[in-house]
mmCIF file of all heavy atoms in Angstrom:
data_model
loop_
_atom_site.group_PDB
_atom_site.id
_atom_site.type_symbol
_atom_site.label_atom_id
_atom_site.label_comp_id
_atom_site.label_asym_id
_atom_site.label_seq_id
_atom_site.Cartn_x
_atom_site.Cartn_y
_atom_site.Cartn_z
ATOM 1 N N GLU B 256 -25.869 2.570 33.857
ATOM 2 C CA GLU B 256 -26.235 1.769 35.022
ATOM 3 C C GLU B 256 -27.731 1.835 35.267
ATOM 4 O O GLU B 256 -28.396 0.842 35.530
ATOM 5 C CB GLU B 256 -25.499 2.267 36.282
ATOM 6 C CG GLU B 256 -24.018 1.921 36.317
ATOM 7 C CD GLU B 256 -23.738 0.438 36.163
ATOM 8 O OE1 GLU B 256 -24.532 -0.381 36.741
ATOM 9 O OE2 GLU B 256 -22.782 0.062 35.461
ATOM 10 N N ALA B 257 -28.254 3.059 35.174
ATOM 11 C CA ALA B 257 -29.685 3.257 35.409
ATOM 12 C C ALA B 257 -30.510 2.470 34.363
ATOM 13 O O ALA B 257 -31.505 1.834 34.665
ATOM 14 C CB ALA B 257 -30.030 4.750 35.331
ATOM 15 N N TRP B 258 -30.025 2.534 33.128
ATOM 16 C CA TRP B 258 -30.741 1.856 32.044
ATOM 17 C C TRP B 258 -30.732 0.336 32.282
ATOM 18 O O TRP B 258 -31.764 -0.338 32.102
ATOM 19 C CB TRP B 258 -30.067 2.193 30.675
ATOM 20 C CG TRP B 258 -30.657 1.474 29.520
ATOM 21 C CD1 TRP B 258 -31.778 1.846 28.833
ATOM 22 C CD2 TRP B 258 -30.207 0.260 28.917
ATOM 23 N NE1 TRP B 258 -32.057 0.964 27.813
ATOM 24 C CE2 TRP B 258 -31.093 -0.021 27.839
ATOM 25 C CE3 TRP B 258 -29.139 -0.594 29.145
ATOM 26 C CZ2 TRP B 258 -30.940 -1.138 27.013
ATOM 27 C CZ3 TRP B 258 -28.971 -1.696 28.329
ATOM 28 C CH2 TRP B 258 -29.849 -1.974 27.282
ATOM 29 N N VAL B 259 -29.588 -0.155 32.747
ATOM 30 C CA VAL B 259 -29.487 -1.603 33.024
ATOM 31 C C VAL B 259 -30.462 -1.999 34.116
ATOM 32 O O VAL B 259 -31.222 -2.987 33.965
ATOM 33 C CB VAL B 259 -28.038 -1.988 33.435
ATOM 34 C CG1 VAL B 259 -27.997 -3.393 34.001
ATOM 35 C CG2 VAL B 259 -27.094 -1.848 32.251
ATOM 36 N N ALA B 260 -30.480 -1.188 35.155
ATOM 37 C CA ALA B 260 -31.380 -1.487 36.265
ATOM 38 C C ALA B 260 -32.840 -1.505 35.753
ATOM 39 O O ALA B 260 -33.625 -2.377 36.106
ATOM 40 C CB ALA B 260 -31.206 -0.466 37.354
ATOM 41 N N GLU B 261 -33.147 -0.486 34.929
ATOM 42 C CA GLU B 261 -34.495 -0.387 34.405
ATOM 43 C C GLU B 261 -34.841 -1.626 33.588
ATOM 44 O O GLU B 261 -35.934 -2.184 33.700
ATOM 45 C CB GLU B 261 -34.576 0.867 33.546
ATOM 46 C CG GLU B 261 -35.958 1.266 33.144
ATOM 47 C CD GLU B 261 -35.930 2.307 32.035
ATOM 48 O OE1 GLU B 261 -34.880 2.993 31.917
ATOM 49 O OE2 GLU B 261 -36.910 2.387 31.285
ATOM 50 N N GLN B 262 -33.911 -2.054 32.737
ATOM 51 C CA GLN B 262 -34.161 -3.207 31.893
ATOM 52 C C GLN B 262 -34.407 -4.454 32.745
ATOM 53 O O GLN B 262 -35.323 -5.208 32.484
ATOM 54 C CB GLN B 262 -32.927 -3.475 30.974
ATOM 55 C CG GLN B 262 -32.733 -2.429 29.914
ATOM 56 C CD GLN B 262 -33.921 -2.351 28.946
ATOM 57 O OE1 GLN B 262 -34.309 -3.368 28.385
ATOM 58 N NE2 GLN B 262 -34.486 -1.177 28.790
ATOM 59 N N ARG B 263 -33.554 -4.606 33.744
ATOM 60 C CA ARG B 263 -33.713 -5.796 34.601
ATOM 61 C C ARG B 263 -35.059 -5.756 35.289
ATOM 62 O O ARG B 263 -35.764 -6.772 35.354
ATOM 63 C CB ARG B 263 -32.597 -5.844 35.632
ATOM 64 C CG ARG B 263 -31.310 -6.337 35.007
ATOM 65 C CD ARG B 263 -30.237 -6.392 36.067
ATOM 66 N NE ARG B 263 -29.028 -7.031 35.567
ATOM 67 C CZ ARG B 263 -27.831 -6.786 36.050
ATOM 68 N NH1 ARG B 263 -27.688 -5.931 37.032
ATOM 69 N NH2 ARG B 263 -26.795 -7.390 35.563
ATOM 70 N N GLY B 264 -35.408 -4.556 35.781
ATOM 71 C CA GLY B 264 -36.704 -4.391 36.444
ATOM 72 C C GLY B 264 -37.824 -4.706 35.476
ATOM 73 O O GLY B 264 -38.712 -5.493 35.795
ATOM 74 N N ASP B 265 -37.689 -4.179 34.270
ATOM 75 C CA ASP B 265 -38.718 -4.387 33.262
ATOM 76 C C ASP B 265 -38.889 -5.873 32.997
ATOM 77 O O ASP B 265 -39.987 -6.394 32.942
ATOM 78 C CB ASP B 265 -38.335 -3.709 31.964
ATOM 79 C CG ASP B 265 -38.851 -2.298 31.970
ATOM 80 O OD1 ASP B 265 -39.467 -1.909 32.993
ATOM 81 O OD2 ASP B 265 -38.645 -1.556 30.995
ATOM 82 N N LEU B 266 -37.755 -6.517 32.826
ATOM 83 C CA LEU B 266 -37.838 -7.924 32.472
ATOM 84 C C LEU B 266 -38.496 -8.718 33.590
ATOM 85 O O LEU B 266 -39.308 -9.610 33.347
ATOM 86 C CB LEU B 266 -36.431 -8.486 32.197
ATOM 87 C CG LEU B 266 -35.790 -7.963 30.912
ATOM 88 C CD1 LEU B 266 -34.340 -8.439 30.814
ATOM 89 C CD2 LEU B 266 -36.596 -8.379 29.691
ATOM 90 N N ALA B 267 -38.180 -8.347 34.863
ATOM 91 C CA ALA B 267 -38.785 -9.024 36.001
ATOM 92 C C ALA B 267 -40.284 -8.762 35.996
ATOM 93 O O ALA B 267 -41.101 -9.672 36.146
ATOM 94 C CB ALA B 267 -38.163 -8.553 37.296
ATOM 95 N N VAL B 268 -40.629 -7.490 35.780
ATOM 96 C CA VAL B 268 -42.048 -7.118 35.740
ATOM 97 C C VAL B 268 -42.785 -7.862 34.631
ATOM 98 O O VAL B 268 -43.880 -8.348 34.829
ATOM 99 C CB VAL B 268 -42.165 -5.581 35.519
ATOM 100 C CG1 VAL B 268 -43.611 -5.193 35.247
ATOM 101 C CG2 VAL B 268 -41.655 -4.850 36.765
ATOM 102 N N ASN B 269 -42.112 -7.971 33.496
ATOM 103 C CA ASN B 269 -42.759 -8.592 32.372
ATOM 104 C C ASN B 269 -43.220 -10.010 32.676
ATOM 105 O O ASN B 269 -44.267 -10.422 32.228
ATOM 106 C CB ASN B 269 -41.768 -8.698 31.194
ATOM 107 C CG ASN B 269 -41.548 -7.316 30.601
ATOM 108 O OD1 ASN B 269 -42.400 -6.448 30.738
ATOM 109 N ND2 ASN B 269 -40.414 -7.131 29.996
ATOM 110 N N ASP B 270 -42.386 -10.720 33.420
ATOM 111 C CA ASP B 270 -42.734 -12.093 33.718
ATOM 112 C C ASP B 270 -44.071 -12.177 34.411
ATOM 113 O O ASP B 270 -44.902 -13.036 34.120
ATOM 114 C CB ASP B 270 -41.666 -12.737 34.603
ATOM 115 C CG ASP B 270 -40.419 -13.049 33.785
ATOM 116 O OD1 ASP B 270 -40.544 -13.087 32.535
ATOM 117 O OD2 ASP B 270 -39.332 -13.176 34.365
ATOM 118 N N SER B 271 -44.310 -11.225 35.348
ATOM 119 C CA SER B 271 -45.564 -11.268 36.112
ATOM 120 C C SER B 271 -46.690 -10.512 35.386
ATOM 121 O O SER B 271 -47.784 -11.002 35.239
ATOM 122 C CB SER B 271 -45.350 -10.734 37.537
ATOM 123 O OG SER B 271 -44.712 -9.473 37.453
ATOM 124 N N GLU B 272 -46.347 -9.283 34.959
ATOM 125 C CA GLU B 272 -47.440 -8.425 34.481
ATOM 126 C C GLU B 272 -47.600 -8.413 32.964
ATOM 127 O O GLU B 272 -48.714 -8.247 32.468
ATOM 128 C CB GLU B 272 -47.214 -6.988 34.975
ATOM 129 C CG GLU B 272 -47.412 -6.843 36.473
ATOM 130 C CD GLU B 272 -47.099 -5.434 36.918
ATOM 131 O OE1 GLU B 272 -47.115 -4.540 36.055
ATOM 132 O OE2 GLU B 272 -46.848 -5.239 38.106
ATOM 133 N N GLY B 273 -46.509 -8.559 32.286
ATOM 134 C CA GLY B 273 -46.613 -8.585 30.827
ATOM 135 C C GLY B 273 -46.838 -7.245 30.192
ATOM 136 O O GLY B 273 -47.787 -7.035 29.455
#
Side-chain angles (χ1 to χ4, degrees):
Chain B
E256 287 304 322
W258 177 83
V259 168
E261 191 194 336
Q262 291 298 306
R263 282 180 172 155
D265 271 0
L266 289 173
V268 169
N269 288 335
D270 286 340
S271 51
E272 291 176 20

